[in-house]
Amino acid sequence: MNEIKTVKFHMLSRALAPITHMMGSEGNESVINRTNVYHDGHVHAVPVLSGNAIRHKMVREPGAMLIVNACGLYGKLNIDQANYLFYGGSLTESSVSDNLQRIAEMQELMPLVRLLGGSLKNQIVSGSLSVSMGILVCRENRGTLELCLPDELLAGLPELRSCEDFVSGWQYTRSDARKKPELLDMENAAEAAEDKSNLMIYNGQHVIPGAMFYHDFILHNVSRLEVGALWACLKDWEASGGVIGGSSRIGHGRLKTEAYVGGENVFGDEIDLDAYEAEYREHTANNADKIKEWLDVMFGTPIRGQKKSKKSTQAEVLEVANVDIDAE
């Protein structure tokens, strides 16, 4: 059970809704995230999902929420604890003290943090998870797909089309109260009747539903608990909507993801991701008190059971815990 292995998850994610993972704007139009790919003697700008977005939305955010719920910490974290769990923390002190014992405790108590790494107040602790970009399954990425995908997955791919076949556009309009004069008092209704409606049109590009992305997770020198932690994160992410990219409030960004974990035996028996996941969830629940104690020691006293003079503290914590962003 404690045997150490390196495990690779091959992931195929199909878009169930427009994917609006953006990289900026050109004029009034938002443009999708792309990377340059060399294919057939030419350089093409091909849509891509950033590894940072995949790492945060599929792994760190749902994984942090699992710990928060298992330990009864919702609404009870201070800002440093929330930043550490949800965004990896940040260096806030210049001196480095001997944290070896506390780091060993963290790695024992929280396999997810052992995977992702993070920053204590005065020391960066590396993780063991490598995350790739999500590359579009298209003609321009044929060479990369042939090198990365197992034969079983490669044989099951649809006919490869040009990346531009998977790109389309969207446009929405945000109206204003001038379109509803019956809601206004007499003075404002009369003024609204004379004014032009102040409509706001916004538009951009998206990757169309049905398009597929390939990406992978490589877990270096891990045990069953880390594999179970990743699988639990992916299942919780999918159960919460499987969203990546922006505009989820209007139905964009949904993915349906399938995982393939090699054909070899892992940890001495047949691959059983659900069993590894159950072990991880049980481990986290059984160590809830120790995890809370560790967070208190490393990141100061939380608001748990204490009154704070700064009224915004808990609101800030909840905002951190629920923010919807693409990056860590």
Side-chain angles (χ1 to χ4, degrees), residues 32-37 39 43-48 135-142 159-168 205-208 211-213:
I32 54 174
N33 196 25
R34 294 177 183 253
T35 190
N36 288 337
V37 173
H39 171 72
V43 175
H44 306 265
V46 180
V48 65
I135 65 171
L136 187 67
V137 176
C138 64
R139 188 182 304 149
E140 291 80 1
N141 279 327
R142 180 191 302 274
E159 178 184 356
L160 299 182
R161 303 174 63 91
S162 169
C163 65
E164 294 305 327
D165 290 345
F166 299 101
V167 179
S168 186
Q205 300 174 333
H206 69 261
V207 176
I208 64 174
M212 296 180 67
F213 292 90

Side-chain angles (χ1 to χ4, degrees), residues 173-179 192 195-201:
T173 302
R174 180 175 290 121
S175 190
D176 72 339
R178 291 176 179 81
K179 300 285 287 185
D195 292 343
K196 293 183 178 179
S197 180
N198 187 28
L199 299 177
M200 185 180 80
I201 298 174

